[in-house]
Amino acid sequence: MSITVLVMTARASRTPAIAAEAQRRLEELARRNLPLIVYEAPLLFEAGVEERVDDVLVVLVDPAQQLARLMARDGRGEADARSRIAAQLPLADKAARADYLIDNSGSLEETLAQVRALYRHLLRRSRIAPASPEIPE
């Protein structure tokens, strides 16, 4: 498969042993000459680990949708969800530090079109032939 994903949770990014293991795995994946490695770290900037990656993608959504989606996904009340959002770096600040942005305010198809375009761009830039030039469905 042409996409390798390494997920780093918020808690793990602040645990030295787990953060060290994530760094080791990133280095191991880099040696495999893969066309693309996706490092998912919800609190990348907050944890101060953005230097681990070549590029940063930030997914944007309007604040009302962000709140509604968080409440629906986690079953949180509005006050709890607002508190969780407030504890993070504002999306505008993350966007200012990002190399790429995906607007997730529209439909699923609109978001997927942006993801596919970015995927193709990153593959072209990598100059490494992927197993598949398209994102798996």
Side-chain angles (χ1 to χ4, degrees):
M1 178 172 228
S2 58
I3 302 175
T4 301
V5 178
L6 177 60
V7 177
M8 171 74 108
T9 65
R11 183 181 315 214
S13 66
R14 295 187 177 133
T15 305
I18 297 173
E21 175 62 13
Q23 181 63 34
R24 185 196 67 73
R25 289 180 63 198
L26 275 174
E27 291 167 1
E28 176 186 314
L29 290 167
R31 286 191 296 274
R32 291 175 46 197
N33 208 29
L34 298 165
L36 183 62
I37 300 168
V38 177
Y39 181 77
E40 181 181 349
L43 299 177
L44 183 79
F45 295 120
E46 292 88 342
V49 295
E50 64 269 20
E51 75 283 349
R52 291 183 180 169
V53 298
D54 295 326
D55 297 300
V56 174
L57 162 66
V58 170
V59 178
L60 300 173
V61 66
D62 81 42
Q65 283 182 313
Q66 181 184 23
L67 179 64
R69 288 176 180 176
L70 178 60
M71 290 170 59
R73 185 192 73 200
D74 294 357
R76 295 175 181 268
E78 184 174 344
D80 188 35
R82 285 185 186 281
S83 175
R84 183 168 178 188
I85 291 169
Q88 299 175 18
L89 190 65
L91 276 177
D93 293 352
K94 292 179 183 184
R97 296 168 69 176
D99 299 291
Y100 301 100
L101 300 172
I102 296 289
D103 179 1
N104 192 19
S105 296
S107 70
L108 176 59
E109 279 308 312
E110 291 168 329
T111 301
L112 286 174
Q114 294 172 72
V115 171
R116 288 183 179 109
L118 177 59
Y119 177 72
R120 287 189 295 273
H121 166 76
L122 293 172
L123 287 180
R124 282 192 305 274
R125 196 184 74 175
S126 78
R127 302 184 196 281
I128 299 170
S132 168
E134 293 300 319
I135 296 174
E137 296 294 326

